[in-house]
């Protein structure tokens, strides 16, 4: 359906379109032993999430939901309440109907449950641990290799062999990549005990990677420029909205400046080395 939506004008409308499944690239997190062992399968890595579930904000939500359902609060858990909230949100987003489950929650309750989900995404896919984002450098470098090739072909006056490249993954693919690039990073980490201080946080996973989240790099060849450096310029769009680059605070950058800003990741982030499990016997949290 996605390919059909791009239209036959892009030669992507037929079933003959070549599609390559490359899980090592688009599901890099599954192939990163350090991430799998120390975050994905390590219960201790989610200690902030677990602490918030037991904290005063979630306790207040549980008590209100239990009262509305005429149940003892002991029969409810944070996970069950979250399922009810997600059921409400899914039906609203997908069917545009207000589920009966929505009546259990106030706007403040929704903010608490949003923070619970953001905590999980932060510690599992975002800035919580370096390996979350560092494991995505294989995809980041792949993007720039395609851009490099287009620049090289353009400079040689050759036709651009791949004018459009579409990589399809999940929110779990995109969130670490955005963290690697430094977007939506708060001065203070998201923790179980700073909900109030994080009310105006940048890291809101529901806005960063909503349904059908997408990140687009657009490379421009500019003829009428003063210097050769300005000949190739780039824009980034997240969910169809222009992003401001960190190094310039502008929504457009020369390709040379962008590569220079991310030089360390492009040259020094090696997937195999990043994802190797440590040889010494240390605890996961110490290593992370």
């Amino acid at each position: 359906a996605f390919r059909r939506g791009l239209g036959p004008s892009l030669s992507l409308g037929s079933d003959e379109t070549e599609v390559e499944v490359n899980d090592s690239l688009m599901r890099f997190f599954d192939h990163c032993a350090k991430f799998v062992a120390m975050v994905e399968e390590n219960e201790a890595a989610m200690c902030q999430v677990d602490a918030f579930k037991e904290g005063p904000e979630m306790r207040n939500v549980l008590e209100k939901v239990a009262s509305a359902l005429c149940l003892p609060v002991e029969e409810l858990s944070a996970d069950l309440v979250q399922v009810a909230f997600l059921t409400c949100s899914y039906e609203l987003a997908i069917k545009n109907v207000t589920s009966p489950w929505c009546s259990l929650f106030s706007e403040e309750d929704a903010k608490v449950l949003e923070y619970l989900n953001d905590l999980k995404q932060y510690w599992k896919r975002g800035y919580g641990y370096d390996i979350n984002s560092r494991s995505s450098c294989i995809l980041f470098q792949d993007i720039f290799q395609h851009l490099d090739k287009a620049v090289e072909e353009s400079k040689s006056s050759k036709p651009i062999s791949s004018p459009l490249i579409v990589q399809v993954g999940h929110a779990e693919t995109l969130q670490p990549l955005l963290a690697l690039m430094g977007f939506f990073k708060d001065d203070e980490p998201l923790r179980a005990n700073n909900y109030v201080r994080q009310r105006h946080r940048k890291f809101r996973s529901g806005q960063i990677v909503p349904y059908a989240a997408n990140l687009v790099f657009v490379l421009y060849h500019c003829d009428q420029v003063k210097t050769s450096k300005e000949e190739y310029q780039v824009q980034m769009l997240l969910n169809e909205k222009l992003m401001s680059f960190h190094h310039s605070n502008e929504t457009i950058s020369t390709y040379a400046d962008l590569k220079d800003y991310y030089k360390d990741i492009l040259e020094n982030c090696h997937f195999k080395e990043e994802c190797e499990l440590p040889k010494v016997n240390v605890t996961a949290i110490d290593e992370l």
Side-chain angles (χ1 to χ4, degrees), residues 11-226:
S11 301
L12 288 167
S14 72
D15 293 333
E16 298 176 5
T17 304
E18 184 179 343
V19 175
E20 177 188 355
V21 177
N22 188 348
D23 278 353
S24 63
L25 184 65
M26 300 309 292
R27 294 187 65 86
F28 50 80
F29 43 87
D30 283 342
H31 298 262
C32 184
K34 187 175 180 180
F35 170 78
V36 171
M38 296 190 167
V39 181
E40 184 73 44
E41 296 179 352
N42 177 24
E43 291 183 8
M46 294 297 106
C47 60
Q48 294 297 325
V49 179
D50 295 335
F52 189 73
K53 288 179 180 178
E54 301 297 327
E57 293 88 2
M58 277 303 300
R59 182 69 184 180
N60 187 44
V61 174
L62 257 67
E63 288 175 352
K64 287 197 287 184
V65 171
S67 175
L69 294 174
C70 299
L71 288 172
V73 70
E74 293 76 20
E75 291 190 16
L76 288 181
S77 66
D79 290 340
L80 282 172
V81 169
Q82 192 173 29
V83 169
F85 180 68
L86 289 173
T87 303
C88 159
S89 62
Y90 289 158
E91 292 199 22
L92 186 63
I94 297 169
K95 299 180 181 178
N96 198 28
V97 298
T98 303
S99 165
W101 292 106
C102 295
S103 64
L104 295 175
F105 305 105
S106 66
E107 185 174 338
E108 181 56 36
D109 297 335
K111 290 178 180 178
V112 171
L113 288 158
E114 178 195 19
Y115 191 69
L116 174 60
N117 186 61
D118 285 348
L119 267 177
K120 180 181 178 182
Q121 297 303 319
Y122 183 90
W123 289 96
K124 201 167 191 175
R125 305 293 178 185
Y127 292 104
Y129 303 111
D130 284 345
I131 190 59
N132 298 350
S133 59
R134 296 291 286 184
S135 62
S136 74
C137 67
I138 187 173
L139 176 57
F140 185 75
Q141 291 164 349
D142 181 77
I143 291 167
F144 277 81
Q145 285 166 11
H146 288 302
L147 293 171
D148 281 345
K149 184 179 179 182
V151 169
E152 184 181 323
E153 290 172 341
S154 174
K155 285 182 175 179
S156 304
S157 300
K158 296 177 182 177
I160 305 300
S161 55
S162 300
L164 173 66
I165 297 166
V166 180
Q167 308 271 34
V168 181
H170 290 274
E172 291 82 1
T173 308
L174 196 49
Q175 186 71 77
L177 182 66
L178 289 165
L180 184 71
M181 297 182 72
F183 290 106
F184 308 106
K185 186 175 185 178
D186 294 285
D187 294 334
E188 183 181 358
L190 274 63
R191 299 187 183 276
N193 62 359
N194 62 2
Y195 167 72
V196 174
R197 294 198 301 277
Q198 293 287 12
R199 280 184 178 274
H200 302 291
R201 64 190 178 278
K202 299 173 186 175
F203 192 91
R204 293 183 181 272
S205 57
Q207 296 177 16
I208 301 167
V209 283
Y211 298 127
N214 57 86
L215 178 65
V216 180
F217 288 79
V218 186
L219 178 67
Y220 296 95
H221 180 212
C222 308
D223 291 327
Q224 299 178 352
V225 290
K226 297 177 181 177

Side-chain angles (χ1 to χ4, degrees), residues 245-268:
F245 292 104
H246 289 304
H247 62 279
S248 64
N249 208 30
E250 301 287 341
T251 58
I252 193 159
S253 167
T254 67
Y255 185 51
D257 283 345
L258 186 63
K259 285 188 68 176
D260 185 60
Y261 183 73
Y262 289 114
K263 183 178 180 179
D264 179 64
I265 299 172
L266 291 170
E267 295 182 0
N268 301 317

